[in-house]
Amino acid sequence: MSQAQSWETRSFVDLTDYREVEEVLRRGRDFVVAGTKAESDEFVHGSLIAIDGREHLNRRRALMKMIRPSQPWGAEGGLVDAVYAHNLGRVRDAAEPADGMIRFDLIDFCKRVIWRVTAAFVGLDGVEDDETVARFQRLGTDVVSGLTVEYAAPEERRRILETAREARRQIREEMYEPSIARREALIREAGDDPDKRAALPADLLTSLLLLPEDARLDDELVFREMVAMLSASVNNPVSQAAWAVDDLLAWLADHPEDRARIGEREFVNLAVKESLRLHRASRPYLVRVAVEDTVLKSSGRFVPAGTWVSGWVEKANHDPSVFGADADAYNPHRTVEDPKAPHFGVAFGAGPHVCLGRPMLLWEQGPEEFQGIQTKMVRFLLEGGVAKDPEGVQELVGVEGSFRYVRYDVVMPLPQNGTI
Protein backbone atom coordinates (compact mmCIF):
# COMPACT_ATOMS: atom_id res chain seq x y z
CA MET A 1 0.00 0.00 0.00
CA SER A 2 2.86 2.40 0.76
CA GLN A 3 3.59 4.86 -1.99
CA ALA A 4 7.18 5.48 -0.92
CA GLN A 5 9.75 3.56 1.12
CA SER A 6 11.05 6.44 3.17
CA TRP A 7 11.55 10.17 3.05
CA GLU A 8 14.84 11.43 1.73
CA THR A 9 14.80 14.73 3.58
CA ARG A 10 18.14 15.82 2.13
CA SER A 11 16.42 16.19 -1.24
CA PHE A 12 13.60 18.36 0.13
CA VAL A 13 13.34 22.03 -0.79
CA ASP A 14 13.04 23.70 2.62
CA LEU A 15 10.82 26.78 2.75
CA THR A 16 10.91 29.11 5.76
CA ASP A 17 9.60 32.38 4.30
CA TYR A 18 5.98 32.86 5.38
CA ARG A 19 4.67 33.86 1.98
CA GLU A 20 6.31 30.91 0.23
CA VAL A 21 5.04 28.41 2.79
CA GLU A 22 1.53 29.83 2.72
CA GLU A 23 1.45 29.85 -1.08
CA VAL A 24 2.53 26.22 -1.39
CA LEU A 25 -0.11 25.11 1.12
CA ARG A 26 -2.77 27.20 -0.56
CA ARG A 27 -2.04 25.96 -4.10
CA GLY A 28 -3.53 22.52 -3.56
CA ARG A 29 -3.69 21.66 -7.26
CA ASP A 30 -0.04 22.41 -7.85
CA PHE A 31 1.37 20.98 -4.60
CA VAL A 32 -0.33 17.81 -3.36
CA VAL A 33 -0.20 15.56 -0.30
CA ALA A 34 -0.93 12.35 -2.21
CA GLY A 35 2.25 10.33 -2.34
CA THR A 36 3.91 12.11 0.58
CA LYS A 37 3.02 9.42 3.11
CA ALA A 38 5.67 6.72 3.37
CA GLU A 39 5.77 4.40 6.39
CA SER A 40 2.54 5.89 7.76
CA ASP A 41 0.61 5.18 4.56
CA GLU A 42 -0.83 1.97 6.00
CA PHE A 43 -2.60 4.06 8.66
CA VAL A 44 -3.87 6.95 6.52
CA HIS A 45 -4.14 5.68 2.92
CA GLY A 46 -7.28 7.15 1.35
CA SER A 47 -8.13 9.28 4.38
CA LEU A 48 -8.74 13.03 4.37
CA ILE A 49 -5.12 13.90 5.20
CA ALA A 50 -3.78 11.81 2.31
CA ILE A 51 -6.05 12.73 -0.63
CA ASP A 52 -6.49 15.78 -2.84
CA GLY A 53 -8.86 17.35 -5.30
CA ARG A 54 -12.58 16.77 -5.62
CA GLU A 55 -12.57 13.65 -3.45
CA HIS A 56 -10.93 15.58 -0.61
CA LEU A 57 -13.31 18.53 -0.96
CA ASN A 58 -16.46 16.39 -0.94
CA ARG A 59 -15.42 14.41 2.12
CA ARG A 60 -14.36 17.54 3.96
CA ARG A 61 -17.75 19.10 3.35
CA ALA A 62 -19.48 15.99 4.66
CA LEU A 63 -17.48 16.10 7.88
CA MET A 64 -18.01 19.78 8.59
CA LYS A 65 -21.37 19.11 10.26
CA MET A 66 -19.43 17.72 13.23
CA ILE A 67 -18.19 21.25 13.90
CA ARG A 68 -21.59 22.81 14.62
CA PRO A 69 -21.79 24.70 17.94
CA SER A 70 -24.88 22.70 18.93
CA GLN A 71 -22.88 19.50 19.33
CA PRO A 72 -21.90 18.35 22.86
CA TRP A 73 -18.29 19.44 22.25
CA GLY A 74 -19.40 22.65 20.56
CA ALA A 75 -19.83 26.18 21.85
CA GLU A 76 -23.38 25.51 23.07
CA GLY A 77 -22.53 22.10 24.49
CA GLY A 78 -21.34 21.36 28.00
CA LEU A 79 -19.10 18.34 27.43
CA VAL A 80 -15.81 20.22 27.79
CA ASP A 81 -17.07 21.97 30.92
CA ALA A 82 -18.22 18.70 32.50
CA VAL A 83 -15.04 16.77 31.68
CA TYR A 84 -12.85 19.62 32.92
CA ALA A 85 -14.83 19.85 36.18
CA HIS A 86 -14.65 16.08 36.68
CA ASN A 87 -10.89 16.00 36.29
CA LEU A 88 -10.39 19.03 38.50
CA GLY A 89 -12.45 17.23 41.13
CA ARG A 90 -10.27 14.16 40.72
CA VAL A 91 -7.16 16.27 41.33
CA ARG A 92 -8.82 18.04 44.25
CA ASP A 93 -9.76 14.76 45.92
CA ALA A 94 -6.17 13.57 45.73
CA ALA A 95 -4.71 16.82 47.06
CA GLU A 96 -3.10 17.37 50.44
CA PRO A 97 -5.45 19.94 52.05
CA ALA A 98 -2.92 21.48 54.43
CA ASP A 99 -1.79 24.50 52.40
CA GLY A 100 -5.02 25.14 50.50
CA MET A 101 -3.38 24.45 47.14
CA ILE A 102 -3.49 21.59 44.67
CA ARG A 103 -0.49 20.54 42.61
CA PHE A 104 -0.70 18.60 39.37
CA ASP A 105 0.89 18.01 35.99
CA LEU A 106 -0.92 20.20 33.47
CA ILE A 107 0.02 17.90 30.58
CA ASP A 108 -1.56 14.85 32.19
CA PHE A 109 -4.61 16.91 33.15
CA CYS A 110 -5.12 18.29 29.62
CA LYS A 111 -4.63 14.86 28.08
CA ARG A 112 -7.40 13.40 30.22
CA VAL A 113 -9.77 16.17 29.15
CA ILE A 114 -8.86 16.26 25.45
CA TRP A 115 -8.80 12.48 24.96
CA ARG A 116 -12.22 12.15 26.59
CA VAL A 117 -13.69 14.86 24.35
CA THR A 118 -11.97 13.35 21.31
CA ALA A 119 -13.55 9.95 21.97
CA ALA A 120 -16.98 11.59 21.80
CA PHE A 121 -16.00 13.65 18.76
CA VAL A 122 -14.90 10.66 16.69
CA GLY A 123 -17.72 8.48 18.01
CA LEU A 124 -16.16 5.85 20.28
CA ASP A 125 -18.62 4.61 22.88
CA GLY A 126 -17.72 3.57 26.41
CA VAL A 127 -14.69 5.87 26.75
CA GLU A 128 -16.10 7.77 29.68
CA ASP A 129 -14.67 6.86 33.08
CA ASP A 130 -11.12 7.50 34.23
CA GLU A 131 -9.96 3.94 33.53
CA THR A 132 -11.27 3.68 29.97
CA VAL A 133 -10.09 7.20 29.10
CA ALA A 134 -6.60 6.34 30.37
CA ARG A 135 -6.55 3.15 28.29
CA PHE A 136 -7.77 4.99 25.20
CA GLN A 137 -5.08 7.59 25.78
CA ARG A 138 -2.32 4.98 26.01
CA LEU A 139 -3.43 3.11 22.90
CA GLY A 140 -4.21 6.27 20.97
CA THR A 141 -0.81 7.78 21.74
CA ASP A 142 0.88 4.73 20.21
CA VAL A 143 -1.33 4.91 17.12
CA VAL A 144 -0.70 8.63 16.63
CA SER A 145 3.05 7.96 16.76
CA GLY A 146 2.56 5.66 13.78
CA LEU A 147 0.83 8.44 11.85
CA THR A 148 3.85 10.71 12.25
CA VAL A 149 6.54 8.04 11.99
CA GLU A 150 8.29 9.78 9.08
CA TYR A 151 9.41 12.52 11.45
CA ALA A 152 11.03 10.04 13.86
CA ALA A 153 14.66 8.97 13.77
CA PRO A 154 15.13 6.18 11.16
CA GLU A 155 16.37 3.70 13.75
CA GLU A 156 13.17 4.17 15.78
CA ARG A 157 10.63 3.74 12.97
CA ARG A 158 10.33 -0.05 12.95
CA ARG A 159 9.60 -0.17 16.69
CA ILE A 160 7.10 2.69 16.41
CA LEU A 161 5.25 0.95 13.60
CA GLU A 162 5.05 -2.38 15.39
CA THR A 163 3.71 -0.73 18.53
CA ALA A 164 1.24 1.36 16.52
CA ARG A 165 -0.08 -1.70 14.66
CA GLU A 166 -0.83 -3.54 17.90
CA ALA A 167 -2.51 -0.50 19.46
CA ARG A 168 -4.52 -0.01 16.27
CA ARG A 169 -5.73 -3.62 16.45
CA GLN A 170 -6.85 -3.24 20.05
CA ILE A 171 -8.69 0.04 19.39
CA ARG A 172 -10.46 -1.56 16.46
CA GLU A 173 -11.59 -4.67 18.33
CA GLU A 174 -12.41 -3.12 21.70
CA MET A 175 -13.76 0.30 20.80
CA TYR A 176 -14.38 0.83 17.10
CA GLU A 177 -16.32 -2.31 16.15
CA PRO A 178 -18.97 -2.02 18.91
CA SER A 179 -19.32 1.72 18.24
CA ILE A 180 -19.75 1.39 14.49
CA ALA A 181 -22.26 -1.47 14.95
CA ARG A 182 -24.39 0.70 17.25
CA ARG A 183 -24.39 3.57 14.78
CA GLU A 184 -25.33 1.32 11.89
CA ALA A 185 -28.28 0.07 13.96
CA LEU A 186 -29.34 3.64 14.79
CA ILE A 187 -29.23 4.61 11.12
CA ARG A 188 -31.32 1.57 10.11
CA GLU A 189 -33.87 2.38 12.82
CA ALA A 190 -34.07 6.01 11.72
CA GLY A 191 -34.79 5.05 8.12
CA ASP A 192 -36.12 8.03 6.17
CA ASP A 193 -37.76 9.67 9.20
CA PRO A 194 -36.35 13.25 9.15
CA ASP A 195 -36.74 13.75 12.91
CA LYS A 196 -34.95 10.50 13.77
CA ARG A 197 -32.18 11.23 11.29
CA ALA A 198 -31.73 14.72 12.74
CA ALA A 199 -31.34 13.13 16.18
CA LEU A 200 -28.52 10.83 15.09
CA PRO A 201 -25.07 11.48 16.59
CA ALA A 202 -23.06 14.04 14.61
CA ASP A 203 -19.71 12.41 15.37
CA LEU A 204 -17.15 11.29 12.81
CA LEU A 205 -18.28 7.66 12.52
CA THR A 206 -21.94 8.57 12.01
CA SER A 207 -21.03 11.29 9.51
CA LEU A 208 -19.01 8.81 7.44
CA LEU A 209 -21.80 6.21 7.51
CA LEU A 210 -24.22 8.86 6.21
CA LEU A 211 -22.13 9.83 3.20
CA PRO A 212 -24.03 9.69 -0.13
CA GLU A 213 -23.91 6.28 -1.78
CA ASP A 214 -21.52 7.40 -4.51
CA ALA A 215 -19.05 8.66 -1.87
CA ARG A 216 -19.48 5.90 0.73
CA LEU A 217 -16.36 4.42 2.27
CA ASP A 218 -15.65 0.79 3.02
CA ASP A 219 -15.24 -0.26 6.65
CA GLU A 220 -11.44 -0.23 6.60
CA LEU A 221 -11.35 3.32 5.25
CA VAL A 222 -13.90 4.50 7.83
CA PHE A 223 -11.60 3.10 10.52
CA ARG A 224 -8.54 4.73 8.93
CA GLU A 225 -10.33 8.08 8.77
CA MET A 226 -11.10 7.80 12.47
CA VAL A 227 -7.48 6.96 13.27
CA ALA A 228 -6.25 9.90 11.19
CA MET A 229 -8.65 12.21 13.03
CA LEU A 230 -7.08 11.18 16.33
CA SER A 231 -3.76 12.60 15.19
CA ALA A 232 -5.31 15.98 14.45
CA SER A 233 -7.45 16.13 17.58
CA VAL A 234 -5.28 15.28 20.56
CA ASN A 235 -1.56 15.95 20.84
CA ASN A 236 -1.43 19.47 19.45
CA PRO A 237 -4.31 20.90 21.56
CA VAL A 238 -2.73 19.45 24.71
CA SER A 239 0.70 20.89 23.92
CA GLN A 240 -0.68 24.24 22.84
CA ALA A 241 -2.77 24.56 26.01
CA ALA A 242 0.45 24.27 28.03
CA TRP A 243 2.25 26.78 25.81
CA ALA A 244 -0.68 29.23 26.07
CA VAL A 245 -0.73 28.99 29.87
CA ASP A 246 3.05 29.41 30.04
CA ASP A 247 2.98 32.43 27.73
CA LEU A 248 0.02 34.08 29.42
CA LEU A 249 1.32 33.67 32.96
CA ALA A 250 4.51 35.46 31.99
CA TRP A 251 2.58 38.13 30.08
CA LEU A 252 0.14 38.81 32.94
CA ALA A 253 3.01 39.12 35.41
CA ASP A 254 4.35 42.00 33.30
CA HIS A 255 0.94 43.36 32.21
CA PRO A 256 -1.41 43.04 35.21
CA GLU A 257 -3.92 45.32 33.48
CA ASP A 258 -4.86 42.38 31.21
CA ARG A 259 -5.76 40.07 34.09
CA ALA A 260 -9.30 41.45 34.14
CA ARG A 261 -9.72 40.21 30.55
CA ILE A 262 -8.97 36.51 31.07
CA GLY A 263 -12.68 35.70 30.81
CA GLU A 264 -13.17 37.58 27.54
CA ARG A 265 -13.38 35.46 24.42
CA GLU A 266 -11.64 38.04 22.23
CA PHE A 267 -8.64 38.37 24.54
CA VAL A 268 -8.24 34.65 25.22
CA ASN A 269 -8.56 33.87 21.51
CA LEU A 270 -5.87 36.42 20.66
CA ALA A 271 -3.64 35.01 23.41
CA VAL A 272 -4.08 31.43 22.19
CA LYS A 273 -3.49 32.46 18.57
CA GLU A 274 -0.25 34.19 19.53
CA SER A 275 0.96 31.01 21.25
CA LEU A 276 -0.05 28.97 18.21
CA ARG A 277 1.99 31.31 16.03
CA LEU A 278 4.99 31.40 18.30
CA HIS A 279 5.33 27.69 19.11
CA ARG A 280 5.14 24.57 16.97
CA ALA A 281 4.43 21.43 19.00
CA SER A 282 3.56 18.92 16.25
CA ARG A 283 5.03 18.21 12.80
CA PRO A 284 7.87 20.73 12.35
CA TYR A 285 7.23 20.98 8.62
CA LEU A 286 4.41 20.14 6.20
CA VAL A 287 5.31 18.18 3.08
CA ARG A 288 3.95 18.61 -0.44
CA VAL A 289 4.96 17.36 -3.90
CA ALA A 290 4.99 19.62 -6.97
CA VAL A 291 2.67 18.22 -9.65
CA GLU A 292 4.39 20.09 -12.47
CA ASP A 293 7.01 22.76 -13.03
CA THR A 294 5.82 25.69 -10.94
CA VAL A 295 6.93 29.24 -10.22
CA LEU A 296 5.96 30.67 -6.83
CA LYS A 297 4.24 34.01 -7.28
CA SER A 298 5.36 35.25 -3.87
CA SER A 299 9.08 34.93 -4.59
CA GLY A 300 9.67 33.85 -8.19
CA ARG A 301 11.22 30.57 -6.97
CA PHE A 302 11.16 27.83 -9.63
CA VAL A 303 10.06 24.40 -8.35
CA PRO A 304 10.52 21.53 -10.83
CA ALA A 305 7.86 18.84 -11.21
CA GLY A 306 8.21 16.03 -8.68
CA THR A 307 10.05 18.17 -6.14
CA TRP A 308 9.33 17.44 -2.48
CA VAL A 309 8.77 20.69 -0.61
CA SER A 310 8.84 21.09 3.19
CA GLY A 311 7.17 24.14 4.69
CA TRP A 312 8.69 24.91 8.10
CA VAL A 313 5.72 26.22 10.06
CA GLU A 314 7.36 27.78 13.12
CA LYS A 315 10.05 29.51 11.08
CA ALA A 316 7.43 30.90 8.70
CA ASN A 317 5.42 32.14 11.67
CA HIS A 318 8.46 34.05 12.95
CA ASP A 319 8.89 35.93 9.65
CA PRO A 320 9.50 39.58 10.69
CA SER A 321 8.25 40.92 7.34
CA VAL A 322 4.80 39.55 8.25
CA PHE A 323 4.70 39.61 12.06
CA GLY A 324 6.97 42.54 12.85
CA ALA A 325 10.54 43.05 14.04
CA ASP A 326 9.64 41.45 17.39
CA ALA A 327 8.16 38.33 15.76
CA ASP A 328 10.09 36.10 18.19
CA ALA A 329 8.36 37.67 21.20
CA TYR A 330 4.93 36.90 22.68
CA ASN A 331 2.36 39.69 22.43
CA PRO A 332 -1.38 38.90 22.40
CA HIS A 333 -2.05 42.45 21.17
CA ARG A 334 0.23 42.05 18.16
CA THR A 335 -0.59 43.96 14.99
CA VAL A 336 0.24 41.74 12.01
CA GLU A 337 2.23 43.64 9.38
CA ASP A 338 0.59 41.75 6.49
CA PRO A 339 -3.21 42.24 6.69
CA LYS A 340 -3.75 39.02 4.70
CA ALA A 341 -2.03 36.89 7.32
CA PRO A 342 -4.08 35.58 10.27
CA HIS A 343 -2.77 36.15 13.80
CA PHE A 344 -1.82 32.46 14.10
CA GLY A 345 0.04 32.44 10.77
CA VAL A 346 0.07 28.97 9.21
CA ALA A 347 -0.31 27.15 12.54
CA PHE A 348 -3.47 25.50 11.18
CA GLY A 349 -1.98 25.07 7.71
CA ALA A 350 -3.62 26.83 4.77
CA GLY A 351 -5.48 26.06 1.58
CA PRO A 352 -7.56 22.92 0.99
CA HIS A 353 -5.89 20.99 3.83
CA VAL A 354 -6.31 23.71 6.46
CA CYS A 355 -7.11 22.14 9.84
CA LEU A 356 -10.72 20.97 9.96
CA GLY A 357 -10.95 21.54 13.71
CA ARG A 358 -9.91 25.19 13.85
CA PRO A 359 -13.49 26.48 14.38
CA MET A 360 -14.06 23.97 17.18
CA LEU A 361 -10.87 24.98 19.00
CA LEU A 362 -11.47 28.75 18.84
CA TRP A 363 -15.24 29.37 18.19
CA GLU A 364 -15.09 32.98 17.05
CA GLN A 365 -18.76 33.22 16.07
CA GLY A 366 -21.90 33.77 18.12
CA PRO A 367 -22.37 35.28 21.58
CA GLU A 368 -19.50 36.05 23.95
CA GLU A 369 -20.09 32.85 25.95
CA PHE A 370 -19.43 30.75 22.83
CA GLN A 371 -15.83 29.64 23.34
CA GLY A 372 -13.93 26.71 21.85
CA ILE A 373 -12.12 23.80 23.42
CA GLN A 374 -8.68 25.45 23.37
CA THR A 375 -9.81 28.85 24.60
CA LYS A 376 -12.20 27.40 27.18
CA MET A 377 -9.50 25.20 28.71
CA VAL A 378 -7.10 28.13 29.01
CA ARG A 379 -9.80 30.38 30.46
CA PHE A 380 -10.87 27.81 33.07
CA LEU A 381 -7.27 27.35 34.19
CA LEU A 382 -6.54 31.07 34.46
CA GLU A 383 -9.83 31.84 36.22
CA GLY A 384 -8.98 29.03 38.64
CA GLY A 385 -5.76 30.80 39.57
CA VAL A 386 -3.33 28.39 37.94
CA ALA A 387 0.37 29.22 38.34
CA LYS A 388 3.63 27.54 37.44
CA ASP A 389 4.84 25.36 40.31
CA PRO A 390 8.24 26.89 41.23
CA GLU A 391 9.22 23.64 42.95
CA GLY A 392 7.93 21.42 40.15
CA VAL A 393 9.14 20.30 36.73
CA GLN A 394 8.48 21.96 33.38
CA GLU A 395 10.14 19.68 30.84
CA LEU A 396 10.46 20.42 27.12
CA VAL A 397 11.37 17.89 24.43
CA GLY A 398 11.56 18.19 20.68
CA VAL A 399 13.54 18.62 17.52
CA GLU A 400 14.32 21.56 15.30
CA GLY A 401 11.10 23.41 14.58
CA SER A 402 8.94 21.60 17.13
CA PHE A 403 9.05 21.58 20.93
CA ARG A 404 6.41 20.48 23.41
CA TYR A 405 6.07 20.11 27.15
CA VAL A 406 5.93 16.51 28.37
CA ARG A 407 5.46 17.69 31.95
CA TYR A 408 4.35 21.03 33.30
CA ASP A 409 3.76 21.12 37.05
CA VAL A 410 1.32 23.77 38.24
CA VAL A 411 -0.34 24.90 41.47
CA MET A 412 -3.89 26.14 41.93
CA PRO A 413 -5.99 27.26 44.91
CA LEU A 414 -8.03 24.33 46.19
CA PRO A 415 -11.40 24.54 44.38
CA GLN A 416 -14.66 24.00 46.21
CA ASN A 417 -17.01 21.15 45.31
CA GLY A 418 -19.13 21.94 42.29
CA THR A 419 -16.90 24.74 41.03
CA ILE A 420 -14.72 24.95 37.94
Side-chain angles (χ1 to χ4, degrees), residues 115-117 119-120 124-129 132-134 136-137 175:
W115 280 94
R116 168 66 182 92
V117 174
L124 292 179
D125 298 330
V127 184
E128 298 174 356
D129 58 40
T132 55
V133 170
F136 176 49
Q137 179 185 321
M175 303 173 186

Side-chain angles (χ1 to χ4, degrees), residues 58-174:
N58 289 341
R59 195 176 307 169
R60 185 182 179 90
R61 285 174 173 170
L63 296 180
M64 282 301 294
K65 65 181 178 180
M66 299 185 300
I67 314 299
R68 293 200 306 265
S70 59
Q71 302 312 321
W73 48 82
E76 298 173 29
L79 180 62
V80 179
D81 310 54
V83 175
Y84 179 94
H86 167 78
N87 279 282
L88 193 61
R90 179 184 56 80
V91 172
R92 177 197 61 222
D93 293 343
E96 295 290 341
D99 61 359
M101 303 290 286
I102 55 176
R103 291 169 171 80
F104 58 97
D105 175 13
L106 182 61
I107 300 300
D108 176 70
F109 181 87
C110 290
K111 281 182 177 179
R112 289 173 181 268
V113 176
I114 296 296
W115 280 94
R116 168 66 182 92
V117 174
T118 297
F121 178 64
V122 299
L124 292 179
D125 298 330
V127 184
E128 298 174 356
D129 58 40
D130 293 339
E131 182 178 353
T132 55
V133 170
R135 176 162 175 75
F136 176 49
Q137 179 185 321
R138 289 193 299 270
L139 293 173
T141 298
D142 288 339
V143 172
V144 170
S145 294
L147 269 68
T148 56
V149 65
E150 288 89 354
Y151 296 87
E155 63 272 16
E156 291 290 318
R157 293 177 187 174
R158 184 172 183 176
R159 178 193 59 79
I160 291 172
L161 286 172
E162 290 175 353
T163 302
R165 288 168 186 147
E166 175 58 21
R168 183 182 188 272
R169 182 191 67 77
Q170 292 182 51
I171 288 178
R172 176 159 193 143
E173 292 180 1
E174 298 175 22

Side-chain angles (χ1 to χ4, degrees), residues 25 45 130 133 163 231 237 248 251 253 267:
L25 297 177
H45 185 81
D130 293 339
V133 170
T163 302
S231 179
L248 264 171
W251 176 266
F267 176 74

Side-chain angles (χ1 to χ4, degrees), residues 388-404:
K388 183 186 295 187
D389 186 348
E391 299 177 358
V393 175
Q394 292 83 35
E395 181 183 357
L396 275 173
V397 301
V399 295
E400 182 185 6
S402 175
F403 285 88
R404 70 184 190 279

